[in-house]
Amino acid sequence: MAKPNDKKRPGGSSEGISKAITPTKKNKPIANSPKSKPKHNGSARKHLPANAQEPPVPKPVSNEDISSNWKSFLQVAAASPAEPERRRARARGLARRGCSCPPPVWFDGVDPALLHDDRPPCSFCLKQRERERPAERPNEQEAPPAKPKARLPSHYIAMDCEMVGVGHSGQENMLARVSIVNSLCQPIYDKFVKPMERVTDYRTSVSGVRPKDLVNGESFEVVQKEVAALLKGRVLVGHAVYNDLRVLLLSHPKRHTRDTSSYKPFRRMFNGSIPSLKNLAHKILAVDIQKGEHDSVQDARATMQVYQTHRREWEAALAERHRQRSGRPA
């Protein structure tokens, strides 16, 4: 069967051929059709078949190729924000001040303790370190350590003395040590006393005093004056404190004296007998003292604590007795 376009027309065969090759409206390409646009992959490379592989990148052979690749890498690395901004700012600041040290070695995700930089510092950094180092004076001596603050005496003080034996067979008492504490049981005075006579019995098992303690002790006159100054205008607490005042050759007003051995409520605890300081501390404070050699500081502390347990009742009874004697109304 012959095609319509193959028929010859009377107007000549050229006209029929031109009409036959003229595209119809249906076959005319559309201007904005995606099929009309060539496909681009964003690069200047030529399109390759799907099953074709890209040619491998040629390796640098000559020194010129290597140097050109290295220069391009340095340009990319300088433009990349791989180093933290604070490090770059620090490097810029050091450069402005005159530091010519190379930048510090730095890697991501690496412990800084594993990085050892043995490069010597520049002259600018050396001068800066010398300025920051404290000046050393050859003849300058170290400052002595600060002395601890002195513990001040309070209105109520407790005293205890240790004695040694003098005279025939050591029967007579002589002062060997004086200890005084304040109301907080803090020692404010503690000194050994040089013997004025030959000591015949140091009574070490009880007094705790040894010959070497009295060699460098204070003279009796100095100790007597210092203790008298501490007692002036204060309330003295002690256990059988009249014995301590006797060896010191001092006296103290009775109204300003609190003797735990003569306090009647304490005597009632022991059926009217005079209690020892050891028994008082065990019964009232539940503390064992004087297990071996005596310590005058420990005994003075125990005396003050025993007094403070009954201080309110003790002072109230003294105030009532003073009111009755003066005849003042209640």
Side-chain angles (χ1 to χ4, degrees):
M1 183 177 179
K3 294 182 180 181
N5 294 335
D6 295 341
K7 295 181 180 180
K8 293 182 181 180
R9 295 189 181 182
S13 61
S14 61
E15 184 179 357
I17 295 172
S18 62
K19 288 183 179 181
I21 62 175
T22 301
T24 59
K25 187 176 181 181
K26 184 177 180 181
N27 297 331
K28 186 177 181 181
I30 303 174
N32 296 330
S33 175
K35 296 181 180 180
S36 63
K37 294 182 179 180
K39 295 181 179 180
H40 298 280
N41 57 358
S43 64
R45 299 177 181 177
K46 296 182 179 180
H47 296 283
L48 299 175
N51 57 354
Q53 297 181 357
E54 294 185 1
V57 180
K59 296 182 180 180
V61 178
S62 62
N63 294 335
E64 296 180 358
D65 297 341
I66 296 175
S67 61
S68 61
N69 291 340
W70 179 250
K71 290 180 180 179
S72 61
F73 168 75
L74 292 179
Q75 294 176 359
V76 174
S80 63
E83 186 182 5
E85 181 61 27
R86 62 182 182 85
R87 292 180 177 271
R88 294 201 300 270
R90 179 177 178 274
R92 291 194 298 268
L94 292 175
R96 284 196 299 268
R97 288 187 293 173
C99 177
S100 59
C101 291
V105 179
W106 177 78
F107 297 99
D108 284 328
V110 179
D111 188 0
L114 301 178
L115 300 177
H116 301 280
D117 194 358
D118 298 332
R119 295 172 293 182
C122 64
S123 58
F124 174 81
C125 294
L126 290 176
K127 292 180 181 179
Q128 191 69 16
R129 293 178 186 177
E130 290 294 335
R131 294 173 185 172
E132 296 176 357
R133 183 181 304 172
E136 298 179 359
R137 299 179 182 177
N139 298 330
E140 184 178 3
Q141 298 179 356
E142 294 183 359
K147 296 182 179 180
K149 294 183 179 180
R151 293 166 179 172
L152 301 178
S154 55
H155 184 62
Y156 289 81
I157 58 176
M159 182 177 67
D160 187 79
C161 297
E162 300 294 343
M163 307 165 197
V164 294
V166 296
H168 179 68
S169 67
Q171 295 297 325
E172 298 180 10
N173 296 327
M174 188 182 69
L175 181 64
R177 184 183 181 185
V178 185
S179 301
I180 302 177
V181 300
N182 57 15
S183 59
L184 300 177
C185 297
Q186 297 173 341
I188 59 175
Y189 191 87
D190 184 24
K191 285 187 178 182
F192 287 96
V193 184
K194 286 183 178 180
M196 295 182 293
E197 302 179 23
R198 187 176 67 87
V199 179
T200 56
D201 186 4
Y202 283 91
R203 307 172 186 175
T204 305
S205 59
V206 178
S207 65
V209 179
R210 292 171 172 79
K212 63 179 181 180
D213 298 330
L214 304 183
V215 171
N216 298 323
E218 192 66 79
S219 63
F220 177 81
E221 293 79 6
V222 174
V223 172
Q224 185 185 43
K225 290 180 181 179
E226 293 175 346
V227 173
L230 287 172
L231 296 181
K232 186 176 182 180
R234 292 184 172 89
V235 177
L236 175 62
V237 181
H239 189 82
V241 70
Y242 53 88
N243 292 326
D244 301 331
L245 293 174
R246 184 183 302 170
V247 295
L248 281 165
L249 303 180
L250 294 175
S251 61
H252 198 65
K254 188 175 181 180
R255 65 179 182 274
H256 291 160
T257 304
R258 307 291 184 265
D259 195 336
T260 55
S261 65
S262 60
Y263 186 51
K264 291 183 178 180
F266 292 161
R267 288 191 173 189
R268 295 193 195 105
M269 297 179 184
F270 297 90
N271 299 324
S273 62
I274 298 176
S276 65
L277 181 60
K278 180 178 181 179
N279 294 334
L280 271 178
H282 180 74
K283 190 174 187 64
I284 298 176
L285 305 176
V287 176
D288 293 331
I289 62 173
Q290 299 178 352
K291 292 182 179 180
E293 299 178 1
H294 293 194
D295 186 352
S296 55
V297 175
Q298 184 185 50
D299 294 348
R301 286 173 172 172
T303 306
M304 177 61 74
Q305 291 177 354
V306 167
Y307 163 73
Q308 288 178 344
T309 57
H310 289 69
R311 176 181 175 179
R312 187 171 298 177
E313 299 87 350
W314 198 333
E315 297 299 332
L318 292 177
E320 180 65 20
R321 187 184 306 174
H322 179 70
R323 185 190 64 79
Q324 292 176 359
R325 290 179 179 179
S326 62
R328 296 177 181 177

